[in-house]
Amino acid sequence: MGRPLVKVTCLDRHGNEMSSVEVPRGVTLLNALQRVGFVHGTCGGYAGCGGCAVELEDGRMVLSCFVRVEEDVAVRKRK
């Protein structure tokens, strides 16, 4: 049996859902967000460009290339 799926929801700056994708638990948030065209990192996932920065539901800013998705999550693009 494969890894369970988790839902990644992409929000606009007002909190409205723009898109969502289900991915296997444990993939990088960057990988999930690239599947729906929400972010476009250019450094290959090595935190060199900052293009994958997003805001999590709790207000924390993160580089999505460093975050593994372990549960359902909603994100906003960094301003």
Side-chain angles (χ1 to χ4, degrees):
M1 185 174 187
R3 294 182 283 178
L5 296 178
V6 292
K7 183 178 180 181
V8 177
T9 303
C10 305
L11 306 173
D12 67 16
R13 62 185 175 145
H14 303 292
N16 301 311
E17 184 174 332
M18 296 174 59
S19 60
S20 66
V21 62
E22 287 189 335
V23 295
R25 186 180 311 271
V27 303
T28 64
L29 184 55
L30 173 61
N31 181 274
L33 296 174
Q34 285 179 326
R35 291 181 188 195
V36 292
F38 194 68
V39 297
H40 303 285
T42 58
C43 68
Y46 296 102
C49 68
C52 70
V54 293
E55 180 182 351
L56 300 177
E57 294 171 285
D58 63 8
R60 289 182 297 148
M61 299 300 287
V62 298
L63 294 176
S64 61
C65 62
F66 280 3
V67 175
R68 297 237 173 236
V69 182
E70 298 297 335
E71 59 188 30
D72 292 352
V73 64
V75 300
R76 288 185 180 86
K77 279 190 184 180
R78 188 176 80 174
K79 295 179 184 177

